[in-house]
Amino acid sequence: LVLLRFLNFQYAEVFKLADCCVSDTALSREESLILDALHQLHNDQSPDAHACRLKISLVTVNSDISPPWNIDAEMLQYVSKLQNVSAACRLSVDEELSLLQSHVDTNLNYKLSNRQQFLRAVQDCSSSVLLKYPARPSLEDEFDSIIDKSCLNLEMSESFLSKFENVSYKRPADV
């Protein structure tokens, strides 16, 4: 049923049904095929689809089921598109923190690290958060890296400004 809802883009239903995707026994052949079919949906880049995949990952953490997608990449996409995730598919603070602390390498991206710090601050009712900024990219031949002082050259500026000694103005004719 989860697969059918996913294929029909009914993300709120998938999110609700994700809690039922837990098994403490080995998967049957049919269940393994369904899990493989879920992997085929990795091209769905909807913000709610990322949330649903993370919810399925979260509920299957303590079972023998390993999700067929990269949780780090899904979490990064979820955090990047968080403002577009519907309320029905939004992970709770505890769920996000659980994923970030246990299953996601926050050193991979500053956004994940900042989200983790923010969620900890929310959970602890802290009034301040220490955030990381991305490193400045190194660019070659940047426009601002060239220091041009030709306008300050006295000889050149005097010859240029000497053309403005006789400035005249003629009022246009009244119409």
Side-chain angles (χ1 to χ4, degrees):
L1 188 57
V2 169
L3 179 61
L4 292 175
R5 300 284 188 196
F6 228 127
L7 288 170
N8 287 312
F9 309 111
Q10 297 174 351
Y11 301 117
E13 296 299 318
V14 172
F15 199 82
K16 288 179 196 173
L17 290 170
D19 288 323
C20 301
C21 294
V22 179
S23 176
D24 56 352
T25 61
L27 294 178
S28 67
R29 183 173 179 270
E30 292 83 14
E31 291 168 336
S32 296
L33 288 173
I34 291 172
L35 194 62
D36 289 340
L38 281 174
H39 176 64
Q40 301 303 319
L41 298 173
H42 74 277
N43 290 333
D44 187 354
Q45 296 297 308
S46 166
D48 288 345
H50 296 299
C52 290
R53 284 191 284 267
L54 286 173
K55 180 71 170 184
I56 292 170
S57 300
L58 188 65
V59 298
T60 59
V61 162
N62 296 325
S63 67
D64 293 336
I65 303 170
S66 61
W69 45 77
N70 183 346
I71 298 176
D72 289 335
E74 289 297 327
M75 192 66 181
L76 181 59
Q77 290 297 319
Y78 175 79
V79 169
S80 298
K81 300 174 184 179
L82 189 60
Q83 72 242 11
N84 298 320
V85 176
S86 67
C89 296
R90 184 115 359 153
L91 295 170
S92 70
V93 171
D94 292 332
E95 291 172 335
E96 275 189 70
L97 262 177
S98 174
L99 280 170
L100 285 168
Q101 290 172 345
S102 307
H103 310 292
V104 175
D105 185 8
T106 55
N107 296 324
L108 291 177
N109 191 290
Y110 73 96
K111 290 180 184 179
L112 295 176
S113 177
N114 288 345
R115 184 67 181 169
Q116 183 179 17
Q117 294 298 325
F118 173 74
L119 292 172
R120 281 184 186 156
V122 167
Q123 198 174 42
D124 298 339
C125 298
S126 177
S127 61
S128 64
V129 178
L130 181 63
L131 300 177
K132 294 181 182 176
Y133 291 96
R136 182 182 181 274
S138 62
L139 304 173
E140 293 182 19
D141 299 327
E142 291 183 57
F143 175 76
D144 291 341
S145 67
I146 299 171
I147 299 172
D148 182 14
K149 294 186 178 183
S150 62
C151 66
L152 301 176
N153 186 350
L154 212 51
E155 296 168 3
M156 180 132 181
S157 63
E158 285 179 3
S159 66
F160 178 72
L161 293 175
S162 66
K163 296 177 184 176
F164 291 103
E165 287 181 2
N166 298 329
V167 178
S168 64
Y169 172 76
K170 185 175 180 183
R171 184 178 179 167
D174 290 332
V175 180

